[in-house]
Amino acid sequence: MRLYKAGNYNEMSRMAANIISAQVIIKPASVLGLATGGTPLGTYKQLIEWYKKGDIDFSEVTSINLDEYIGLSNAHRQSYHYFMHENFFNHININPNNIHLPDGTANDLEKACIDYDALINDTGGIDLQLLGIGTDGHIGFNEPGPAFEPTTHVVSLTESTIKSNTRFFSSEENVPKKAITVGIRTIMQAKKILLIVNGNNKADILKEALYGCITPALPASILQLHPDFTVIGDEEAFSKL
Ligand code: PGA
């Protein structure tokens, strides 16, 4: 496990973008596991800036997103499809055929989960997985539970996740209560994992995730076992370490 402390959110974002950029330069046909949420926004912004300067080429990259709400159309402004296009894909030269997110609108959600795992398998696996962490310790939408779920699955979001995501919706009632997420095995099979974390509200859970017991009650704790795991956090997030 490697820890890098950044002075602030922008510095954290630049450091994370540096690692992603190095990955794509070294292996142009990289498979990137990507995340949504407030944390990676600055990282995507930085990558877009470097792309526009001509410093990075995403034309051969494949992207695999971690999760998607169930029941929101791709055009819904709070869907993760929309988020990723609005905040990243529309501004870089990634091939649209190489962009993948779970299908939260599928009639047969079980089949959608199986198909997503097969697709990830067909890409040859994720080279670099970008992650945020929820205040309840979730990664992707793998919520605290009795066991680590290995594969892509449907999940009921916890109260704390619904509350935390209410900031993106007009009211708590409008936050979807279910989502599709890749499983813990898929995340752990990524060749490299990059966790980014900022803010005081993540300080306690980050400490527990990195130095506490490895338990499905805190899904991010399993990252301690990954052989190539990097954490970049700002001073506030690292304040309890
Ligand atoms: P956030 O979410 O980046 O919006 O804090 C992180 C997460 O839920 O994984």
Side-chain angles (χ1 to χ4, degrees):
M1 176 161 78
R2 276 182 300 271
L3 304 184
Y4 295 112
K5 182 155 94 175
N8 54 40
Y9 177 79
N10 285 344
E11 204 178 305
M12 175 199 81
S13 302
R14 202 172 58 245
M15 287 164 86
N18 252 314
I19 290 178
I20 296 169
S21 158
Q23 171 69 39
V24 173
I25 289 167
I26 291 165
K27 184 178 175 189
S30 286
V31 180
L32 300 181
L34 297 179
T36 50
T39 314
L41 276 176
T43 304
Y44 295 144
K45 206 163 152 229
Q46 180 66 79
L47 287 169
I48 292 166
E49 201 181 307
W50 288 337
Y51 163 71
K52 288 192 169 153
K53 276 185 166 168
D55 291 344
I56 322 175
D57 174 14
F58 291 95
S59 61
E60 292 180 53
V61 162
T62 294
S63 71
I64 303 281
N65 258 84
L66 283 166
D67 45 18
E68 178 59 284
Y69 288 118
I70 288 176
L72 298 189
S73 73
N74 291 353
H76 191 289
R77 293 182 73 87
Q78 300 309 335
S79 76
Y80 288 164
H81 276 78
Y82 187 92
F83 176 102
M84 288 306 300
H85 284 83
E86 185 71 6
N87 293 302
F88 194 34
F89 299 144
N90 287 349
H91 311 283
I92 58 170
N93 66 336
I94 189 167
N95 179 342
N97 296 327
N98 294 345
I99 294 172
H100 306 290
L101 289 98
D103 182 3
T105 64
N107 287 329
D108 186 343
L109 290 167
E110 264 187 41
K111 181 171 180 303
C113 292
I114 292 167
D115 289 349
Y116 203 61
D117 281 334
L119 185 147
I120 295 170
N121 219 25
D122 287 348
T123 66
I126 293 166
D127 290 299
L128 173 63
Q129 177 66 59
L130 178 66
L131 291 177
I133 181 172
T135 48
D136 63 358
H138 71 214
I139 44 176
F141 270 140
N142 288 277
E143 297 283 30
F148 292 112
E149 292 267 0
T151 57
T152 299
H153 58 283
V154 171
V155 65
S156 297
L157 303 180
T158 60
E159 268 310 304
S160 114
T161 299
I162 292 167
K163 278 206 161 32
S164 159
N165 289 2
T166 299
R167 67 199 144 121
F168 300 116
F169 291 81
S170 50
S171 72
E172 194 173 318
E173 293 81 73
N174 291 331
V175 183
K177 307 296 181 286
K178 284 181 182 266
I180 295 187
T181 181
V182 300
I184 292 292
R185 182 165 63 212
T186 304
I187 292 173
M188 288 298 283
Q189 281 178 339
K191 294 183 188 82
K192 293 173 195 287
I193 293 185
L194 173 57
L195 173 67
I196 52 177
V197 50
N198 69 289
N200 273 321
N201 63 330
K202 302 281 178 72
D204 287 321
I205 200 74
L206 182 67
K207 181 181 176 197
E208 225 180 307
L210 300 184
Y211 299 113
C213 294
I214 296 167
T215 163
L218 200 174
S221 62
I222 201 165
L223 299 172
Q224 294 176 38
L225 298 176
H226 195 279
D228 192 338
F229 174 40
T230 300
V231 187
I232 304 177
D234 70 353
E235 283 194 14
E236 290 185 356
F238 273 22
S239 61
K240 303 273 170 76
L241 302 189

